[in-house]
Amino acid sequence: MKSHPIILGLFIVLSLNSSDTQAVSSAVEPELNQLIKRGEYLARIAGCNDCHTTGYALTAGNIPKDQWLMGDQLGWQGPWGTTYPSNLRLSMAKLTEQQWLNMAKTAQFRPPMPWFTLRDMEEHDLKAIYHFVQHLGPAGQPAPAYLPPGQAAKGPVISFPAPPPQP
Ligand code: HEC
């Protein structure tokens, strides 16, 4: 009897799954754990938590890790309007690693998001942040939506004066 090609294909996939991928994943795991650790370190020292984690900067960083990077209700208001640090746990969960790298290297967000920090970050560190956020997993609510200049914010805001004139 001739084997049906789909059944044959399925058989190959199943047999690959049982032994070979186990060997691969145990080799990859220490590397992934290292990335996750580095991502946590970067979230602490590269300022991500300072803005994207509610209360972080006001509690000397004393916020449990499972509440990190869920965005903030505190608005940042200036000539650009009012921006809210995004819930990275939700927004980054939707991205593949490659999409994240592309975004980090090219996107320009509104103030005070230091997008140039992401642009200048080494790819290894960008990957570390990505895998740390994936490891934390999606959680929380989206941050309030951006408000254009002149539109009143409902909650508290930090108000910036216009930037100094360029020399
Ligand atoms: C000074 C405050 C501040 C710091 C520090 C900061 N962010 Fe942001 N971030 C913001 C704000 C505000 C926005 C929303 C900008 C907008 O609406 O265009 C934002 C937007 C973003 C976005 C894009 C929007 C999205 O939905 O994903 C990403 C990604 C991001 N931040 C990642 C980071 C990472 C990673 C770090 C640490 C390296 C960081 N931010 C540090 C304030 C900050």
Side-chain angles (χ1 to χ4, degrees):
M1 199 180 82
K2 233 176 98 191
S3 307
H4 193 283
I6 293 180
I7 296 183
L8 191 65
L10 190 65
F11 175 72
I12 291 169
V13 167
L14 286 176
S15 52
L16 266 179
N17 254 341
S18 59
S19 58
D20 298 6
T21 50
Q22 242 165 19
V24 170
S25 67
S26 58
V28 162
E29 235 168 61
E31 202 188 316
L32 183 61
N33 286 341
Q34 284 303 355
L35 274 179
I36 292 170
K37 262 202 183 150
R38 174 120 185 118
E40 176 180 340
Y41 169 73
L42 289 167
R44 285 183 197 278
I45 65 135
C48 320
N49 273 331
D50 298 349
C51 291
H52 287 270
T53 298
T54 302
Y56 195 86
L58 305 177
T59 58
N62 212 358
I63 302 286
K65 226 191 306 177
D66 62 0
Q67 290 166 34
W68 284 14
L69 304 177
M70 298 201 298
D72 201 6
Q73 305 281 319
L74 178 61
W76 297 74
Q77 199 166 68
W80 60 88
T82 308
T83 46
Y84 295 88
S86 339
N87 181 335
L88 301 179
R89 303 273 292 272
L90 295 180
S91 62
M92 287 175 66
K94 294 186 199 131
L95 304 178
T96 64
E97 186 186 79
Q98 193 55 51
Q99 286 170 329
W100 161 248
L101 293 176
N102 293 345
M103 178 171 103
K105 286 174 185 170
T106 59
Q108 298 190 5
F109 302 107
R110 300 177 196 98
M113 170 60 204
W115 51 266
F116 36 88
T117 299
L118 294 184
R119 180 197 62 195
D120 296 345
M121 207 177 264
E122 286 181 9
E123 188 161 302
H124 181 265
D125 287 340
L126 287 173
K127 286 184 180 173
I129 291 179
Y130 177 80
H131 287 288
F132 174 60
V133 176
Q134 300 296 321
H135 167 76
L136 290 177
Q141 300 301 317
Y146 161 71
L147 300 170
Q151 205 164 311
K154 285 203 196 94
V157 295
I158 296 171
S159 203
F160 280 74
Q166 295 296 314

